[in-house]
């Protein structure tokens, strides 16, 4: 509760562009829970102009290096940019953190580039629970673009696809698994595909194979680009393609459609998280909840029956503790 209050106190500081307030807000978001959710909701209206691009792909493909290069291109246009690097599988190792610090070293003293690494393991609700409010906070701080880096090949539960406007898949030459996944159709086709490390002799062949694969599918117009993140070769072109892609999405209504669908998913996710929390609380804290648990453990009643009754207990308990169900909605 106390956290919730301090979170709301941050709102003005963030809107005013206070970088320390921003850092603090993202720390709250990383911890998850009520404060994170409250921050996300506080900024709901602020984020409409912020374009969010997700960069996903296998570790070592060069995502971080590419994002630093993209930040360079955007800074040359005097656009501010925020980079959110999310590691859903592990807590931070200092090594990973240090690596990204080095990759973004050239932007270190630049207020126009905000770089933040987040670990989401242990955050209840996973990647979305942390990233959705983080994006809202960055949107409120008036970053016109947020670039989200995350590991993955687009088919696991920590999918970045669910929380961004546009997905860029970053592969390395040889491509392996991801190319196979695209071919087999088990992987959702991203909006843009990048074969990074264009200096590798296999890069061109990988791009050709990807284009051929995509041509035979229903999504034949997805661009496949080559970049060298170390020299910046192809990075300007990539930024142009991403811009065009956003523009196209905006004009066709796709952007609006995706955002609406995302809000819907986010609402359901939030409700499920609250429900799960409430059920566990009912089992631990409510007398009848504890009794039901004991009876099912002792074999007095069956789990289906107990589950149904536990839900009843949970709903009653929840409406008492939140005031929902009476008409106190606006008192928070
Ligand atoms: N040769 C070459 N190496 C690159 C390129 N981009 C990134 N790297 C290197 O690939 C390694 C992994 O890069 P990193 O950005 O950490 O990959 P991430 O795990 O996808 O974020 C680092 O050693 C980079 O210096 C590139 O375009 N060409
Ligand atoms: Mg990285």
């Amino acid at each position: 509760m106390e956290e919730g209050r301090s979170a709301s106190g941050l709102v003005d500081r963030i809107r005013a562009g206070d970088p320390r307030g921003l850092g603090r807000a993202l720390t709250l978001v990383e911890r998850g829970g009520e404060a994170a959710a409250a921050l996300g909701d506080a900024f709901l209206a602020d984020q409409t102009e912020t374009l969010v691009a997700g960069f996903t792909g296998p570790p070592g493909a060069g995502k971080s290096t590419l994002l630093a290069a993209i930040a360079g291109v955007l800074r040359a246009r005097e656009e501010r940019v925020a980079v959110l690097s999310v590691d859903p599988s592990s807590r931070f190792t200092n090594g990973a953190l240090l690596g990204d610090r080095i990759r973004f070293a050239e932007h270190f003293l630049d207020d126009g580039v905000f770089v933040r690494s987040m670990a989401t393991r242990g955050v209840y609700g996973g990647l979305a629970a942390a990233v959705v409010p983080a994006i809202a906070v960055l949107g409120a701080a008036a970053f016109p673009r947020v670039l989200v880096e995350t590991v993955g090949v687009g088919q696991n539960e920590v999918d970045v696809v669910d929380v961004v406007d546009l997905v860029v898949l970053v592969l390395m030459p040889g491509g392996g698994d991801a190319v196979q996944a695209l071919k087999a159709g088990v992987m959702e086709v991203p909006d843009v595909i990048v074969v990074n490390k264009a200096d590798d002799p296999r890069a061109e062949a990988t791009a050709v194979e990807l284009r051929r694969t995509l041509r035979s599918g229903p999504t034949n117009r997805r661009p496949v680009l080559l970049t060298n993140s170390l020299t910046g070769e192809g990075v300007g072109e990539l930024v142009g393609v991403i811009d065009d892609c956003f523009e196209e999405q905006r004009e066709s209504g796709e952007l609006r459609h995706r955002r609406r669908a995302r809000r819907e998913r986010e609402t359901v996710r939030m409700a499920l998280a609250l429900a799960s929390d409430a059920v566990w609380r009912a089992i631990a804290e409510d007398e009848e909840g504890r009794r039901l648990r004991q009876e099912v453990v002792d074999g007095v009643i069956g789990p289906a029956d107990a589950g149904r009754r536990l839900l009843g207990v949970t709903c009653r308990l929840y409406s008492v503790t939140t005031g929902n169900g009476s008409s106190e909605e606006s008192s928070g």
Side-chain angles (χ1 to χ4, degrees):
M1 288 297 116
E2 203 222 311
E3 263 195 0
R5 251 200 313 273
S6 67
S8 66
L10 278 174
V11 170
D12 291 338
R13 283 171 68 191
I14 292 162
R15 288 209 179 105
D18 170 4
R20 293 243 298 278
L22 187 56
R24 218 178 109 47
L26 290 176
T27 302
L28 285 179
V29 160
E30 201 170 14
R31 270 188 225 147
E34 239 170 81
L39 268 175
D41 277 6
F43 294 129
L44 206 56
D46 299 58
Q47 58 179 315
T48 47
E49 289 311 308
T50 301
L51 296 172
V52 186
F55 292 73
T56 181
K63 298 178 297 297
S64 301
T65 315
L66 178 61
L67 288 178
I70 291 174
V73 170
L74 294 172
R75 290 310 285 150
R77 304 199 312 211
E78 302 197 348
E79 276 181 48
R80 296 165 71 232
V81 59
V83 177
L84 205 56
S85 181
V86 186
D87 189 338
S89 59
S90 65
R91 292 178 192 283
F92 272 132
T93 63
N94 284 328
L97 204 56
L98 185 65
D100 282 354
R101 290 245 167 95
I102 291 167
R103 254 148 243 148
F104 284 91
E106 63 175 302
H107 303 297
F108 188 63
L109 293 173
D110 181 355
D111 277 349
V113 181
F114 182 87
V115 181
R116 175 78 182 214
S117 301
M118 293 176 87
T120 59
R121 196 181 77 175
V123 174
Y124 189 75
L127 180 134
V131 175
V132 169
I135 289 170
V137 167
L138 292 165
F143 284 97
R145 282 169 197 269
V146 177
L147 313 176
V148 182
E149 173 188 345
T150 186
V151 175
V153 288
Q155 53 188 331
N156 36 22
E157 79 222 285
V158 292
D159 226 336
V160 72
V161 179
D162 280 351
V163 297
V164 299
D165 296 319
L166 177 150
V167 178
V168 180
L169 177 66
V170 184
L171 301 173
M172 51 191 150
D177 291 355
V179 177
Q180 294 314 320
L182 277 171
K183 269 188 173 170
V186 295
M187 174 175 170
E188 211 173 308
V189 179
D191 299 287
V192 179
I193 298 178
V194 173
V195 179
N196 188 44
K197 309 195 184 184
D199 47 312
D200 184 303
R202 294 166 302 171
E204 189 63 52
T206 303
V208 168
E209 188 187 359
L210 281 164
R211 287 188 192 114
R212 196 169 44 225
T213 303
L214 294 178
R215 248 200 311 277
S216 60
T219 44
N220 54 358
R221 284 174 54 245
R222 300 296 159 89
V224 177
L225 285 97
L226 287 160
T227 56
N228 180 335
S229 301
L230 298 178
T231 62
E233 216 180 311
V235 177
E237 194 193 344
L238 171 61
V239 173
V241 165
I242 291 172
D243 283 344
D244 292 349
C245 196
F246 272 130
E247 205 42 53
E248 223 171 273
Q249 275 193 23
R250 212 199 293 274
E251 272 167 25
S252 68
E254 172 74 12
L255 190 62
R256 186 166 169 270
H257 171 76
R258 286 189 188 188
R259 287 178 171 179
R260 290 170 69 100
R262 206 157 74 214
R263 297 260 283 254
E264 191 178 330
R265 270 198 309 271
E266 184 57 12
T267 304
V268 172
R269 190 190 63 72
M270 202 66 219
L272 289 173
L274 288 171
S276 160
D277 210 42
V279 168
W280 284 113
R281 236 183 15 239
I283 293 172
E285 295 168 15
D286 183 80
E287 199 180 323
E288 195 182 342
R290 278 202 296 260
R291 186 173 52 75
L292 282 167
R293 178 184 168 278
Q294 196 53 51
E295 284 182 6
V296 85
V297 168
D298 293 341
V300 179
I301 51 174
D305 186 22
R308 224 175 359 252
R309 283 154 71 177
L310 184 59
L311 184 60
V313 172
T314 303
C315 291
R316 185 166 42 71
L317 200 64
Y318 187 75
S319 65
V320 169
T321 54
T322 62
N324 287 339
S326 60
S327 52
E328 283 186 60
E329 241 167 283
S330 57
S331 69

